[in-house]
Amino acid sequence: MYSRKGYMDETYEILGYLGSGSGGVIYKAYHKRLQKEVVLKKIKRKSRDARINRNEVDILKNLNHMYLPQVVDFFEENGEIYTAMSFIPGRSLKELMEERRQFSQRQLIRWAMQLCSALNYLHTQTPPIIHGAVSYTHLRAHETGAYL
């Protein structure tokens, strides 16, 4: 079981491990004060620069688009840097494809339009925001839409 003293324990209950990638280790967690499930990402970069991460989070926390997760927290504890975002239910497009799921043309077009909407929103910010990890592994498919 994942456990840390201080802010982490006061604020979050870790519900489970979701995975890891080049950017960090990802957990599903419950934010006790907000009373909602979140994704908690422990930044894994060896050359972490808290100032750069803080600047990224300051930009991301002000984004508001229906197909993008909302950043809800950013903190450092015991030398580790964490970001918390809203939890998007559903499964990755990669998982669905590995199961050989079939999708209608209508559904694929709907997801593509939602993805384009999110990317257009990011690209029209001042300054423009480039999503550096658009991938079928990061695309969450849910009955209410496709999320980056």
Side-chain angles (χ1 to χ4, degrees):
M1 167 112 180
Y2 182 84
S3 178
R4 299 245 186 228
K5 297 213 184 275
Y7 181 79
M8 174 77 81
D9 287 340
E10 293 170 7
T11 309
Y12 296 96
E13 176 185 343
I14 303 301
L15 302 175
Y17 171 81
L18 294 176
S20 65
S22 61
V25 180
I26 303 166
Y27 300 93
K28 182 177 180 182
Y30 183 75
H31 194 294
K32 296 173 186 176
R33 288 193 312 271
L34 296 178
Q35 298 182 343
K36 69 181 208 172
E37 291 180 341
V38 296
V39 169
L40 190 61
K41 180 177 181 181
K42 180 169 75 169
I43 307 298
K44 188 160 90 172
R45 297 184 198 131
K46 290 183 179 180
S47 59
R48 288 186 298 235
D49 182 335
R51 186 175 30 88
I52 291 171
N53 285 311
R54 178 79 242 178
N55 290 341
E56 286 179 16
V57 170
D58 284 341
I59 291 168
L60 297 176
K61 73 179 183 187
N62 293 317
L63 297 177
N64 186 15
H65 189 276
M66 65 188 314
Y67 299 118
L68 294 172
Q70 184 71 45
V71 173
V72 296
D73 201 0
F74 175 79
F75 62 97
E76 182 173 351
E77 184 163 303
N78 298 329
E80 302 287 355
I81 298 171
Y82 297 86
T83 302
M85 298 177 233
S86 53
F87 175 76
I88 307 296
R91 303 185 42 218
S92 74
L93 186 55
K94 178 184 183 221
E95 291 170 320
L96 297 173
M97 290 176 66
E98 286 171 347
E99 293 175 2
R100 303 218 183 272
R101 290 279 303 269
Q102 299 286 317
F103 306 105
S104 68
Q105 181 179 16
R106 181 184 188 115
Q107 182 63 62
L108 293 172
I109 290 171
R110 183 171 161 240
W111 286 343
M113 295 297 290
Q114 293 164 345
L115 176 61
C116 287
S117 174
L119 291 173
N120 182 61
Y121 173 78
L122 292 172
H123 295 173
T124 57
Q125 297 300 300
T126 305
I129 298 170
I130 306 302
H131 191 300
V134 176
S135 164
Y136 74 123
T137 61
H138 296 130
L139 185 65
R140 304 285 297 174
H142 184 263
E143 60 192 35
T144 61
Y147 299 83
L148 265 177

